[in-house]
Amino acid sequence: MTLAPETTDLKVQLELKDGWFTVCDLNALLPGRGVAALLPDGRQVALFRDRSGELYAIDNRDPFGGAAVLSRGLTGTHQSRPFVASPLLKQRFDLETGQCLDDESVRVATYEVRAS
Amino acid sequence: MSTGTPTIVLVGHGMVGQRFLEALAERGLTATHRVVVLCEEPRPAYDRVALTSYFSGRTPEDLSMTDMEFINDHGIELYVGDPAETVDREAKKVTARSGKVFEYETLVLATGSFPFVPPVPNKDAEGCFVYRTIEDLLAIEEYAKTRTTGAVVGGGLLGLEAAGALKGLGLTSHIVEFAPRLMPVQVDDGGGAALLRTIEEMGLTVHTGVGTQEIVVGEDGAVTGMKLSDGSELATDLVVFSAGVRPRDQLARDCGLTVGERGGITVDEQCRTVSDPHVFAIGECALASDGRVYGLVAPGYEQAETAAATIAQDETEQLTFTGADLSTKLKLLGVDVASFGDAHGATEDCLDVVYSDSRAGLYKKLVIGRDGTLLGGILVGDAEAYGTLKAFTGSVPPVSPESLVLPAGAGESVQLGPTALPDDAIICSCNNVRKGTIRAAVTDHQCTTVPEVKKCTKAGTTCGSCVKVLGQLVTAELEASGVEVDKGLCGCFSQTREELYEIVLALRINTYQDLLDRYGRDEAKGGDGCEICKPAVGSIIASLAPTIGVSGYVLDGEQAALQDSNDHFLANLQKNGSYSVVPRIPGGEVTPEGLIVIGEIARDFGLYTKITGGQRIDMFGARVEQLPLIWARLVDAGFESGHAYGKALRTVKSCVGQTWCRYGVQDSVRMAIDLELRYRGLRSPHKLKSAVSGCARECAEAQSKDFGVIATSNGWNLYVGGNGGATPRHADLLAQDLSDAELVRLIDRFLMFYIRTADRLERTSTWLERIPGGLDHVRDVVVEDSLGICEELESLMADHVANYADEWATTINNPEKLARFVSFVNAPDTPDPVVGFVPERDQIKPDLPLLTIGHRPLEGSAQR
Ligand code: SRM
Ligand SMILES: Cc1cc2nc3c(=O)[nH]c(=O)nc-3n(C[C@H](O)[C@H](O)[C@H](O)COP(=O)(O)OP(=O)(O)OC[C@H]3O[C@@H](n4cnc5c(N)ncnc54)[C@H](O)[C@@H]3O)c2cc1C
Ligand code: SF4
Ligand code: FES
């Protein structure tokens, strides 16, 4: 399926233990929205792209509610740091560190991500 | 360990015990003393005042008041589930049930109360409960699962709370009260009558003036009913005794401490027992020096502070406890009840000012002294003014007392702001915080928000009834000290929603990024915005789409990135990550063929089906990748999106009306369908609901809707600003006897005026009460056209109506959009394995093994 008129060859890749794992075309990522990806070992990753083109990847599971939905949250900038707000109970997570901004004791995993 | 550091032993780790530990720590005593706590319950101190909130979803962990870090950091030895059994005052030793023995220098008893159970036959039978601890609630909840009826003995404060809880558990509930009225201690006959009416309207059955004589049990020994003193018998499966509490002073009696005639460990003004200088008693087990046992938490906290200060032997801080105020405010089953000061008018020569409207369940009484001093009062049905009135108690209020009890809008009523209060007025009675202290928190301690002030002063941290006044004071203080109080929408915009609407409309700004980069706060320009302003601006753009020249399709271009998660998937996210599907069923009218299609789809996709409260059908448990398949079939059968996920028009309910009903005077179904089709898809600051009834009997409940229509023999009456939800409000009559065309035109104007001026997530009810001038102003604008904007309002609505398109039909025809309806971008055919279900009552329910680790109760979250 063709996703956008201008096709780019750039792929979004995640760094896993054994190297870079290709997830999808870069243009599958809409600025300001996320998508979820399934890793070979069954883990789920939420991938985001902000308006300047920066990419982020964190664990997809909402640690408060338990559902794998962080990729469906709204993103934004708080004190010039990027975050996503969970669509369940709206806790916010820093996209670079995985730290929950509303509960110091909670953090989700983050992944290295690149477009190449 | 008898040498070295002196030991303080605290018996009882309840609310007051915990406050005592905090008071010790604040005074540095935990560093100089060994502190031992014997806690009888299986869990450390928790918020007993908020006990009932367990039934509304707060877990025992949420209720906890004990921070284990605090306990550990201060080296406090806490023995949970290990009560003190004996005290040897001569040897100064306490023995716990576990056999552990502790020597003490100072012993503090904070053993609280036990519920009094009247000595009626079979009072201990299976199915009899009390209401005091988390364990009591767990037991009641378990037992109630398989029963249908419950009765509460006692119609006092706690009894009503317990009855509300039983009702919440799905039981038919009765209240049996010996006195001739409910809440005999707090309210007088007039207040009792107003309360009775409201409580009965909620479906609880009240029996006053009768005593319980015997609990009747069945052959298996379990409760089946109760015999009452008037000879009648009440069938019930479960009995909760809530007939008052008695101080737990047995431990004290056994070791020879003096106790009062009616119980309570006798203490002096320092909370030291009169019999032994090494022993203190605080909280509900203590008989204070004024001869009273206090059953409220605030006096207990004061006693805890007093005892700690005395033990610290701090010369500069000599606290005494000589008595306390018995003011209470509570929200019982959703009814406000408050009493404060000399509520019963016991002071000589005092006069009452009473306002009573038993039809509306309102009763307000103020007790005024000869010189105009406010002495106390009772408020039933509307306790808005409680915070301010209580703080004025003991002084002459700056306005006439009559004006304080009249309901808003009735002639002379005035709102007395907390800014008029003297500095020594007590704002938070739970924690004894005065207005001056709160002001100082803002001016001297640089607190700028309510949470900061709460932390700094402890005000508002217990029952919460003062938080509203607290907020007003903080704002007033900030404004007075020149700080401009930020009324901006969020961290990205300093404008209100209304101002942003005007900017978008006037300048035809049609992207969010453009708005942010031009009108955002400096630090937000060029950024990604936030989860508050994106959907709010997205909604403004959607409401004005045809007028400002953007697509009316909410997933078009940039708009897709702005929508709340639910709007983005055009469905409601459920707790396990699945979605619900709600097709529009205008007016609640559906053909058998339509029903069959819905039934077949639900069956084919294995969805849980339920009739909603909005006269339509909800199908739950769809995986994200199933949504397009489900909707393709629905659209095919002629169904459209019901916008159950959007801040948009939800339903226009109807009754059968003139066509079938023998009372009907107009065709209410047709009108409901017309209205639903006209306003479908209209994005607004909050959801919009409507209903049309065919006559004044009001079977469609139109008066609880944002705009409700009731047929008259001459046309239609239009009501606006109604609301269900947590703060129900009856709608106000906007105009009468309208023709079809007049009705539609007026609703067009009303809705567009609301969309233009409301705050984000502000329902029409709160909007109507907030905007200056209220209903009269709105009537001036939309009926009389006082601002000359009606033509514009009508044309905006005409644009919306002309450009409506079903967003699900648009979506299933758009492959690019459909590509997003997958669980995984790299495995579009794999369903999310976390989404699981288990069977329940022949259907399914979500299976979510992971436990919730915390809640952030947010304004604006989880809105439907
Ligand atoms: C499905 C339904 C219950 C049912 O099984 O019947 C329902 C379900 C929810 N309602 Fe409701 N409400 C439903 C009818 C109502 C009604 C009755 C009515 O519409 O006549 C009311 C009271 C009337 C009113 O709104 O004034 C109602 C007042 C609320 C409120 C309180 C609104 C308020 O202004 O106080 C919320 C919370 C909110 O929106 O902030 C809410 C929120 C919710 C949420 C979104 C809460 C949540 O986040 O889980 C629920 C969504 C479930 C889901 O995801 O699908 N629901 N809700 C009903 C759907 C009706 C429909 O067909 O669209
Ligand atoms: C449902 C409910 C609603 C309420 N609502 C309000 C309200 O709105 N406003 C208000 O002001 N008050 C309210 N109260 C009353 C308030 O909870 C009490 O005033 C407060 O809890 C008293 O604190 P306390 O520490 O003295 O007693 P408790 O909190 O009862 O604590 C005493 C503790 O001591 C333990 N204990 C007893 N004997 C021993 C022993 N020998 N060894 C070890 N431990 C022992 C008990 O198990 C208990 O845990 C409410 C109470 C209930 C039950
Ligand atoms: S509101 Fe009137 S017309 Fe409609 S069903 Fe009820 S009684 Fe009949
Ligand atoms: S009055 Fe109860 S918390 Fe302030």
Side-chain angles (χ1 to χ4, degrees), chain A residues 3 23 31 33-34 36-38 44 50-51 63-69 72 74-77 83 87 89-90 92 102, chain B residues 513 517 526-529 531 534 560-561 563-565 568 575 577 579 820 823-826 832 848 850 852 855-856 858:
Chain A
L3 291 178
V23 177
R33 283 242 92 102
L38 189 62
Q44 299 189 21
D50 69 13
R51 74 184 264 200
F64 294 93
V69 294
R72 303 181 206 164
L74 275 168
T75 60
T77 327
F83 71 85
L89 294 174
K90 313 278 160 156
R92 295 163 306 161
D102 302 297
Chain B
Q513 272 188 19
D517 293 352
D528 281 87
E531 82 281 18
K534 285 207 289 198
Q563 307 304 327
D564 246 324
S565 177
H568 188 68
K575 60 200 290 183
Y579 284 90
R820 298 193 58 80
S823 291
F824 303 109
V825 67
N826 60 337
D832 175 2
L848 203 65
L850 210 92
T852 306
H855 276 292
R856 179 180 172 219
L858 277 154

Side-chain angles (χ1 to χ4, degrees), chain B residues 228-251:
Chain B
L228 304 180
S229 59
D230 62 358
S232 65
E233 194 170 322
L234 180 66
T236 184
D237 306 322
L238 182 161
V239 175
V240 176
F241 288 103
S242 181
V245 294
R246 300 285 183 271
R248 285 189 71 175
D249 54 13
Q250 196 56 44
L251 192 65

Side-chain angles (χ1 to χ4, degrees), chain B residues 179-200:
Chain B
R181 63 167 183 270
L182 292 171
M183 287 185 65
V185 184
Q186 286 83 3
V187 307
D188 58 11
D189 284 335
L195 191 60
L196 176 67
R197 193 182 154 85
T198 321
I199 293 209
E200 284 185 335

Side-chain angles (χ1 to χ4, degrees), chain B residues 224-294:
Chain B
T224 57
M226 49 206 276
K227 282 199 178 124
L228 304 180
S229 59
D230 62 358
S232 65
E233 194 170 322
L234 180 66
T236 184
D237 306 322
L238 182 161
V239 175
V240 176
F241 288 103
S242 181
V245 294
R246 300 285 183 271
R248 285 189 71 175
D249 54 13
Q250 196 56 44
L251 192 65
R253 284 173 196 266
D254 292 346
C255 67
L257 290 168
T258 309
V259 295
E261 227 168 84
R262 291 161 62 206
I265 309 165
T266 318
V267 298
D268 63 14
E269 293 185 358
Q270 267 77 41
C271 297
R272 211 189 279 271
T273 58
V274 292
S275 340
D276 186 338
H278 295 280
V279 184
F280 290 75
I282 55 177
E284 288 195 340
C285 65
L287 176 64
S289 64
D290 65 346
R292 305 182 81 139
V293 173
Y294 287 92

